[in-house]
Amino acid sequence: CQRVAYCSPECRAADAATSESETEGEGGGGHGSVVCALLRLCDKDEAIDEGDTNKKSAQEDEEARDRVRSEFESYPATLANVVSSAPCYQSALAAAEKGGVLNVHIIGASEGVELFGDYRPAKGEPSVRESYADALSDLAEHNKFSININFVGPDCPKKRMDAFDKLGTIEKGGKQMQARLMMESHRSNYDKKFLSESPSGGYGRGPLSAPDVVVFFNPGFTCPDYNWDGALACIKPGTPFLVTTNTEFEGIADCQYLYEKGFISSLPPMIRDIIEGGEGSDNGNEDADVDDNESDLFFGENPFAGMRVRQSGNMANDLFVKNRWMFGGIFGNKLKKNSTEKKRKEDGVDEGKLPEKKKKKKSKGNTKRSNPALI
């Protein structure tokens, strides 16, 4: 693949042998045949990014373009499908149906990614507006509302995007109405000042409506280069949220960040299992005696991620897929009261303390051999 360098042929051979012989559930693996083949695909995908086509193989170009396109389309596909099906969003959808509009804030958005600016569309391919409209049309028609998406972030386009699209005909109060998709971009930090002012160049609606759902695509809450505290503090308790990450490790870290900062009141059951070292193990955790059915939080792989595999910028043999993992729930939502709450208080449990790391649970998502992103 010519994408990984070694100090000697012996080290190269040893790293490949480690990957080929690893057992299920152990280690991350080295530069084996599967990793090498996937890195060769990275070359082809990057060539499409740069507009460099392979004149000898139109089929390979078409396959690479499909992979690249699928990565961008994973943003509207994830938004539409997860929000429409996950239980924690249903109350917001019901309220939006009464009001006629679902307001979505995509925080930390950028021109190149969520707005497809880094993609070179082929002739006849749908635009970013058409892609979001296609993905969200069923959600709008089923719930009988229009959808307003505000993309907010310092990397949004300098020229503000204001776009409309039709999502289909809906019936409300015995009348036929047209459901619409409204997309607006705002080159700004998501803070109190931004939310209190009327965005310039808009449709005269004044300050943005409060979000019914907030979305973060690959935010990197724990990255030292970013400070998310101000943006997160602007989100009202009770607001449903959705977060995607590229890897399972990043998903766990971002979820723990929200928990430690007090933005969510517990951890999703799957993350508790990983931290505590086994399903159903209480290990002294204050949330262990809470029925998982009471949790409004979820964590897992995102079935709507794209097909493109990327090479990590830090570890040559480490591969990932954008938006592969996701978690969500309700901001600041308190757990349902139950008979065990009094017992936790009597035991002197510190409600703000992160569960102790007893032992790590071996997770299939951590191995290259079993990670669906690499199949």
Side-chain angles (χ1 to χ4, degrees):
C1 67
Q2 304 297 313
R3 295 179 68 97
V4 181
Y6 289 85
C7 59
S8 69
E10 291 77 17
C11 285
R12 161 73 180 91
D15 197 31
T18 299
S19 178
E20 301 295 350
S21 63
E22 70 172 4
T23 58
E24 182 78 13
E26 291 184 1
H31 194 86
S33 58
V34 174
V35 171
C36 193
L38 289 168
L39 287 173
R40 288 198 296 274
L41 292 183
C42 291
D43 278 334
K44 298 172 183 177
D45 296 347
E46 289 172 6
I48 292 296
D49 273 344
E50 298 168 2
D52 184 13
T53 58
N54 182 0
K55 297 180 180 179
K56 295 182 180 180
S57 179
Q59 181 178 347
E60 286 189 358
D61 281 349
E62 184 178 354
E63 291 170 349
R65 181 171 291 280
D66 286 343
R67 291 191 298 271
V68 173
R69 177 79 188 182
S70 73
E71 180 179 270
F72 287 95
E73 289 182 338
S74 71
Y75 294 94
T78 298
L79 171 63
N81 289 282
V82 177
V83 169
S84 66
S85 59
C88 59
Y89 307 112
Q90 300 313 304
S91 295
L93 297 183
E97 182 176 352
K98 292 181 180 179
V101 179
L102 177 72
N103 290 294
V104 179
H105 291 187
I106 299 181
I107 304 173
S110 68
E111 179 179 11
V113 181
E114 289 88 348
L115 294 173
F116 293 21
D118 290 342
Y119 181 65
R120 299 170 181 261
K123 186 177 180 180
E125 287 188 331
S127 65
V128 58
R129 174 180 54 80
E130 293 168 332
S131 295
Y132 275 88
D134 182 58
L136 292 163
S137 59
D138 286 346
L139 176 65
E141 290 183 35
H142 178 74
N143 293 280
K144 300 180 180 180
F145 52 46
S146 292
I147 300 175
N148 184 13
I149 304 179
N150 286 279
F151 299 84
V152 185
D155 294 324
C156 279
K158 293 181 180 179
K159 183 179 180 180
R160 183 179 170 193
M161 179 186 72
D162 289 311
F164 278 98
D165 210 325
K166 296 180 180 179
L167 293 177
T169 303
I170 59 176
E171 183 177 336
K172 298 199 69 156
K175 297 182 179 180
Q176 297 288 323
M177 303 175 63
Q178 184 67 55
R180 296 179 178 272
L181 170 65
M182 298 159 279
M183 296 173 57
E184 304 175 47
S185 67
H186 310 274
R187 190 179 179 90
S188 171
N189 290 321
Y190 194 85
D191 52 28
K192 292 181 179 180
K193 180 181 179 182
F194 165 75
L195 293 173
S196 64
E197 296 177 349
S198 299
S200 60
Y203 298 110
R205 290 192 291 269
L208 296 186
S209 299
D212 299 303
V213 178
V214 293
V215 181
F216 302 84
F217 288 115
N218 305 304
F221 290 142
T222 59
C223 179
D225 295 335
Y226 310 129
N227 186 345
W228 284 97
D229 290 357
L232 293 168
C234 293
I235 302 172
K236 294 182 179 179
T239 304
F241 72 94
L242 170 64
V243 178
T244 69
T245 63
N246 297 335
T247 67
E248 182 185 32
F249 179 82
E250 291 172 333
I252 294 173
D254 282 355
C255 197
Q256 285 183 316
Y257 172 89
L258 295 180
Y259 181 58
E260 289 180 312
K261 294 287 186 176
F263 294 113
I264 55 177
S265 57
S266 64
L267 294 171
M270 182 176 174
I271 293 184
R272 291 205 311 267
D273 290 341
I274 293 172
I275 293 174
E276 295 163 14
E279 296 183 9
S281 172
D282 55 28
N283 286 329
N285 174 20
E286 64 268 24
D287 291 333
D289 51 3
V290 177
D291 190 334
D292 287 346
N293 292 328
E294 294 183 10
S295 177
D296 53 42
L297 297 162
F298 66 88
F299 175 84
E301 291 182 59
N302 177 12
F304 309 103
M307 299 180 293
R308 182 177 183 177
V309 177
R310 288 179 175 266
Q311 183 182 25
S312 169
N314 299 320
M315 300 174 63
N317 288 321
D318 193 22
L319 309 178
F320 67 91
V321 171
K322 283 193 172 182
N323 298 324
R324 166 56 66 182
W325 292 84
M326 64 179 179
F327 67 92
I330 308 294
F331 256 87
N333 203 36
K334 300 298 182 183
L335 292 172
K336 295 178 181 178
K337 295 184 180 296
N338 54 50
S339 59
T340 61
E341 183 174 320
K342 183 177 179 181
K343 181 179 182 301
R344 290 201 300 272
K345 291 181 178 180
E346 291 174 349
D347 292 340
V349 174
D350 182 357
E351 294 293 336
K353 185 179 179 182
L354 192 67
E356 295 181 2
K357 296 182 180 180
K358 296 293 182 178
K359 58 179 180 178
K360 291 184 179 179
K361 176 187 177 183
K362 291 178 180 177
S363 172
K364 291 183 178 180
N366 287 329
T367 63
K368 285 187 172 66
R369 186 176 297 276
S370 59
N371 190 340
L374 306 182
I375 296 176

